[in-house]
Amino acid sequence: MSMLEIRDIHTYYGNIHALKGVSLYVERGEIVTLIGGNGAGKTTLLNTISGILHPREGSIWFEGERCDGTPAHRMVELGISQCPEGRRIFSRMTVRENLEMGAYTRRDRQGIQRDLARVFEIFPVLAKRRKQVAGTLSGGEQQMLSIGRALMSSPRLLLLDEPSMGLAPMLVETIFDVIREINARGTTVLLVEQNAAMALSVANRAYVLETGQIALAGSARALLDNPRVKAIYLGEAVAAADTSGLN
């Protein structure tokens, strides 16, 4: 069984049918990316996996245990942590206090200190600014803090929602280098990202989500070469005849 399996998920906002039979899987040790336009349902899917939203139909399985309908705090305890879109740091707390909030479900003090040291190793700038109020950090530093906070729960699966949003190109490169490093250190990653070229460059596999449904799935390399993906998500012109692939 895969580390994460999503089976025919249907999620609603009131009467709005946001996810319409989504199925996907993530194997242990992978980076899997989910790309798609605004309103496609990418954040809704991550929120459904993490327990913020609950599906009306379908099932979610994590490491062999069915967990759809499980509260969000329990999902963190099971080993799934989400870094949300827009960072959502605690702006009036210090960097260290933000990181400690990421470990709120844990009681192993030695493990918490070990993971704090790991976060400071991955993000040396946060170590330098550990006593600084988080709201005074730059946008890139705040994104690093948000990822670091998610890592403090010691997740086996990390959900990243638009980690490059609003960042300068140089910082985007840094964030994706960090994603590679986190994965190399043993954390499986499910990445939602509008920068399709960067996301596909780091991922093992990818899914394209359109209007709440999976339109295409395959290896990241195959999707990079897909003419429709090139035209719609990578901004490359393709011949009019090359219109198959997402229909």
Side-chain angles (χ1 to χ4, degrees):
M1 178 174 285
S2 302
M3 178 183 235
L4 176 71
E5 289 191 30
I6 311 299
R7 302 176 185 173
D8 195 29
I9 283 294
H10 293 258
T11 300
Y12 290 75
Y13 293 100
N15 293 323
I16 299 173
H17 197 174
L19 297 179
K20 307 167 185 175
V22 172
S23 297
L24 60 79
Y25 69 93
V26 179
E27 300 287 5
R28 188 182 308 277
E30 284 190 310
I31 298 177
V32 174
T33 190
L34 186 68
I35 62 175
N38 289 329
K42 303 185 303 297
T43 294
T44 299
L45 180 55
L46 290 194
N47 287 343
T48 302
I49 294 169
S50 65
I52 297 171
L53 298 172
H54 301 305
R56 289 191 192 176
E57 301 176 42
S59 61
I60 300 173
W61 298 78
F62 180 64
E63 297 186 326
E65 180 177 344
R66 184 169 179 174
C67 53
D68 48 281
T70 301
H73 73 276
R74 175 61 180 149
M75 294 301 286
V76 175
E77 292 172 350
L78 289 176
I80 298 177
S81 185
Q82 182 171 351
C83 177
E85 179 183 356
R87 301 156 195 163
R88 300 187 186 179
I89 60 167
F90 300 103
S91 60
R92 296 185 180 182
M93 292 183 177
T94 66
V95 166
R96 183 178 180 122
E97 288 169 341
N98 268 267
L99 294 174
E100 290 172 343
M101 287 296 293
Y104 78 98
T105 63
R106 301 175 60 180
R107 298 295 180 267
D108 55 323
R109 293 187 179 182
Q110 289 186 343
I112 291 171
Q113 291 305 309
R114 182 172 60 249
D115 285 337
L116 185 63
R118 180 179 67 143
V119 169
F120 286 151
E121 182 180 350
I122 295 172
F123 301 110
V125 67
L126 297 183
K128 295 178 182 178
R129 304 189 190 285
R130 68 185 71 193
K131 295 182 180 180
Q132 186 169 328
V133 174
T136 65
L137 299 176
S138 69
E141 291 165 348
Q142 289 184 14
Q143 185 61 68
M144 294 174 192
L145 178 57
S146 183
I147 295 172
R149 183 180 59 190
L151 290 174
M152 285 299 296
S153 67
S154 194
R156 294 184 295 283
L157 175 63
L158 177 64
L159 311 179
L160 293 174
D161 195 353
E162 304 285 6
S164 75
M165 180 181 290
L167 300 183
M170 184 178 297
L171 288 174
V172 171
E173 293 280 355
T174 299
I175 290 298
F176 277 91
D177 285 343
V178 165
I179 293 171
R180 290 188 186 95
E181 181 177 354
I182 290 169
N183 180 247
R185 288 172 177 249
T187 303
T188 304
V189 177
L190 178 57
L191 168 67
V192 161
E193 180 58 56
Q194 285 195 15
N195 188 333
M198 289 296 297
L200 292 171
S201 74
V202 303
N204 303 105
R205 294 186 302 106
Y207 294 87
V208 176
L209 190 65
E210 291 189 339
T211 60
Q213 296 176 300
I214 299 295
L216 190 64
S219 71
R221 181 176 296 275
L223 265 64
L224 273 170
D225 293 334
N226 183 284
R228 288 284 289 162
V229 172
K230 287 181 178 181
I232 297 173
Y233 300 107
L234 304 180
E236 298 181 21
V238 296
D242 291 330
T243 57
S244 63
L246 294 182
N247 297 322

